[in-house]
């Protein structure tokens, strides 16, 4: 099993350009998440999904959109990139609370995408 | 709201030294607590967790005890190795309800272990 994979690993954009980050998981997880990691701030949740066809806003959703058309994929889009979106982006997935026996189930993380917006 | 505070780093130790990374939290009720580790160039991996007061999580020689009275979940290891060099994140999931989207992270502590 590949676990959680992310594409691309690195990207440089100019201000105003758009791009889509792809996350894929092969563990049949219900929940998927997108985080951004900035120095001294830990990870902050951008958007998440509790199942195919559903999405919800996290802590810092502005400037991003997401889609979960297939259970195994979770896409993060930047319609008009800004320098403030320079960051490392991590995707994660987890089992539903029901299957995990309640809250506290582990989130499995991808290797990250390093994005620079000039 | 929920929050997690970790000791400021970076932390630099010699091999075989004792490690403590402090973590305190603010949350209502009884959250589940986690330590995640991020090795250079990789994503986060769960190191250990505890889901109720006085539980001790342990893995790879690391331990942390859920202390409700001090709202703490300090990470300890008796003898660190060079391979333990990484960034360590304390995190929590709020008590009650569902866990999706509710993982709150501390700012991370960089650990460097020298031979």
């Amino acid at each position: 099993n590949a676990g959680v994979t992310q594409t691309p690993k690195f990207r440089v954009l100019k201000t105003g350009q758009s791009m889509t980050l792809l996350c894929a998981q092969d563990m049949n997880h219900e929940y998927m998440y997108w985080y951004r990691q900035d120095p001294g701030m830990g990870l902050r949740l951008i958007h998440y999904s509790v199942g195919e066809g559903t999405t919800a806003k996290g802590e810092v959703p502005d400037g991003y959109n997401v889609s979960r058309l297939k259970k195994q994929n979770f896409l993060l889009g930047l319609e008009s990139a800004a320098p403030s979106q320079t960051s490392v982006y991590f995707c994660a997935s987890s089992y539903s609370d029901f299957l995990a026996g309640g809250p506290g189930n582990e989130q499995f993380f991808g290797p990250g995408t390093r994005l620079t917006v000039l | 709201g929920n929050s997690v505070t970790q000791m400021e780093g970076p932390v630099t130790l010699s091999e075989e030294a004792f490690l403590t990374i402090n973590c305190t939290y603010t949350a209502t009720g009884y959250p589940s607590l986690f330590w995640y580790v991020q090795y250079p160039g990789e994503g986060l991996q769960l190191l250990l967790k505890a889901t109720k007061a006085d539980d001790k999580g342990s893995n790879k020689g690391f331990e942390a005890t859920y202390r409700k009275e001090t709202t703490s979940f300090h990470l300890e290891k008796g003898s660190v190795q060079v391979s333990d060099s990484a960034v360590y994140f304390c995190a929590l999931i709020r008590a009650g309800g569902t866990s999706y989207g509710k993982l709150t992270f501390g700012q991370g502590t960089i650990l460097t272990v020298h031979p």
Side-chain angles (χ1 to χ4, degrees), chain B residues 32-78:
Chain B
S32 295
L33 301 174
F34 306 82
W35 277 101
Y36 278 84
V37 59
Q38 183 181 28
Y39 297 104
E42 298 183 10
L44 279 71
Q45 304 172 24
L46 180 65
L47 182 59
L48 53 85
K49 72 177 185 182
T51 57
K52 60 182 187 295
D54 299 325
D55 265 3
K56 177 184 285 187
S58 61
N59 185 26
K60 299 181 180 179
F62 291 90
E63 293 183 341
T65 301
Y66 189 143
R67 301 289 187 196
K68 176 68 175 177
E69 63 277 12
T70 55
T71 61
S72 65
F73 193 54
H74 304 321
L75 183 69
E76 297 182 335
K77 186 174 185 181

Side-chain angles (χ1 to χ4, degrees), chain A residues 57-98:
Chain A
K57 294 180 180 179
E59 183 183 355
V60 288
D62 293 343
Y64 305 95
N65 57 75
V66 288
S67 64
R68 184 102 180 265
L69 299 179
K70 295 182 179 180
K71 185 177 183 179
Q72 64 267 33
N73 296 337
F74 195 31
L75 278 63
L76 177 71
L78 286 73
E79 290 188 350
S80 180
S84 61
Q85 294 177 303
T86 294
S87 187
V88 181
Y89 292 85
F90 288 99
C91 176
S93 68
S94 66
Y95 290 108
S96 68
D97 286 336
F98 176 76

Side-chain angles (χ1 to χ4, degrees), chain A residues 12-111:
Chain A
V12 178
L13 293 178
K14 295 181 180 179
T15 297
Q17 287 184 317
S18 63
M19 76 164 295
T20 300
L21 283 67
L22 171 63
C23 175
Q25 53 94 5
D26 61 2
M27 296 174 281
N28 202 34
H29 285 167
E30 288 293 329
Y31 300 167
M32 296 188 74
Y33 317 83
W34 275 107
Y35 293 91
R36 59 177 289 172
Q37 182 181 30
D38 301 295
M41 302 187 73
L43 276 75
R44 293 180 292 169
L45 184 67
I46 304 171
H47 286 280
Y48 63 97
S49 168
V50 301
E52 182 179 324
T54 73
T55 62
K57 294 180 180 179
E59 183 183 355
V60 288
D62 293 343
Y64 305 95
N65 57 75
V66 288
S67 64
R68 184 102 180 265
L69 299 179
K70 295 182 179 180
K71 185 177 183 179
Q72 64 267 33
N73 296 337
F74 195 31
L75 278 63
L76 177 71
L78 286 73
E79 290 188 350
S80 180
S84 61
Q85 294 177 303
T86 294
S87 187
V88 181
Y89 292 85
F90 288 99
C91 176
S93 68
S94 66
Y95 290 108
S96 68
D97 286 336
F98 176 76
L99 289 176
N105 45 312
E106 176 181 359
Q107 291 186 14
F108 294 80
F109 284 80

